[in-house]
Amino acid sequence: MTAASFPYLRMRRGRSAPWMREMLAEHRLHPSDFIWPLFVCEGRDCEEPIGSLPGVSRWSVDRLAGKAKEAAALGIPCVALFPNTPEGLRTGDAGEALNPDNLICRAIRAIKDAVPEIGVLTDVALDPYTSHGHDGLTDEQGNVINDDTVAILAHQALVQAEAGADIVAPSDMMDGRVAAIREVLEAAGHQNVAIMAYAAKYASAFYGPFREAVGSQGRLKGDKRGYQMNPANIDEALREVELDLAEGADFVMVKPGLPYLDVVARVRDAFGVPTFVYQVSGEYAMIEAAAAAGAGDRDALILETLIAFKRAGATGVLTYHALDAARLLNG
Ligand code: PBG
């Protein structure tokens, strides 16, 4: 039997009514697909809008639980926390990252106390704590020193786990950090604290607004190409994922999102493990700018980019649009 062809086969039949299109949808978005990144600042009753991320603010710890509550009420399963460390606490050795009472640890405890039903993911990297804005310790030439940094990252992850983090997410791209973190967590009895490895993280121009949000922008000397990946590479991404999984990563992440959908698809196909994608700050800013310029409908742009991640095979998406998208989907 040969396959039907026109006019007996008409693909438009499947698009002829809303119910038909809904019935035939191959992928769907749900609020549980989202992880919502939140920025935290010192102070009381503070909201600090971030200029390059219209609609996104830093919140003081006392306001943070309210944001997490909103997310939970919309069906968002997890928030990701990023601190804006006060100027005076940023040093060459990133010592504040290991302070059990630092901003991020207080933020974790506040959310866990007030909204125990939502997951808390924390970033493991030193850039919010270093005076030079790099993700690790640097030598005299400004190169990031791998192994010394890994030891600190493992300690940083432990401090976050002790404060109540459910998922620690190393975003630093040092070699060997996943194994070091897993070992420290196991030894301290944190068997259920998961590791989401930023496995394929690219040296991207789309991180600009994030660096403003965490206050590392002006201070960054040089760039991060000595540890983050070259945007030209994809075989290398598969190797990175393979290594992180071998070291004990529970879930992996690709970052940024939209310009790297091919990487998401390859990773998901090759490994079949929970694969997350970070729709990063510059992507958010791009959508907001397009909508503000009248170049597209904001809601439609948000949902179309998010379904693209699902189509590529992503398990979930870290997105600053999480709340908006969940509202649209619940509405
Ligand atoms: C830092 C980190 C970055 C992001 C998440 N964790 C920035 C960077 O690597 O410079 C970017 C997220 C975003 O742009 O939204 N380790």
Side-chain angles (χ1 to χ4, degrees), residues 271-292:
F271 299 98
V273 299
T275 304
F276 290 80
V277 57
Y278 200 143
Q279 184 177 44
V280 300
S281 56
E283 297 178 70
Y284 172 95
M286 210 158 63
I287 291 170
E288 291 297 323

Side-chain angles (χ1 to χ4, degrees), residues 13 50 117 175 195 199 253:
R13 270 183 215 122
I50 299 153
E117 67 273 22
D175 289 316
I195 300 177
M253 194 205 296

Side-chain angles (χ1 to χ4, degrees), residues 82 123 125 127 135 171 198 201 206-207 210-211 224 228 255 278 280-281 320:
F82 298 95
D123 209 63
D127 53 317
D135 291 24
S171 70
Y198 286 72
K201 175 171 176 178
F206 286 93
Y207 303 151
F210 174 95
R211 292 180 190 166
K224 299 191 178 183
Q228 299 178 350
K255 175 185 174 188
Y278 200 143
V280 300
S281 56
Y320 301 96

Side-chain angles (χ1 to χ4, degrees), residues 189-230:
H190 294 292
Q191 286 87 354
N192 283 336
V193 172
I195 300 177
M196 181 186 292
Y198 286 72
K201 175 171 176 178
Y202 288 85
S204 171
F206 286 93
Y207 303 151
F210 174 95
R211 292 180 190 166
E212 180 196 343
V214 300
S216 65
Q217 186 139 50
R219 65 187 77 242
L220 185 64
K221 295 200 180 62
D223 57 50
K224 299 191 178 183
R225 286 184 288 187
Y227 43 108
Q228 299 178 350
M229 281 184 55
N230 181 349

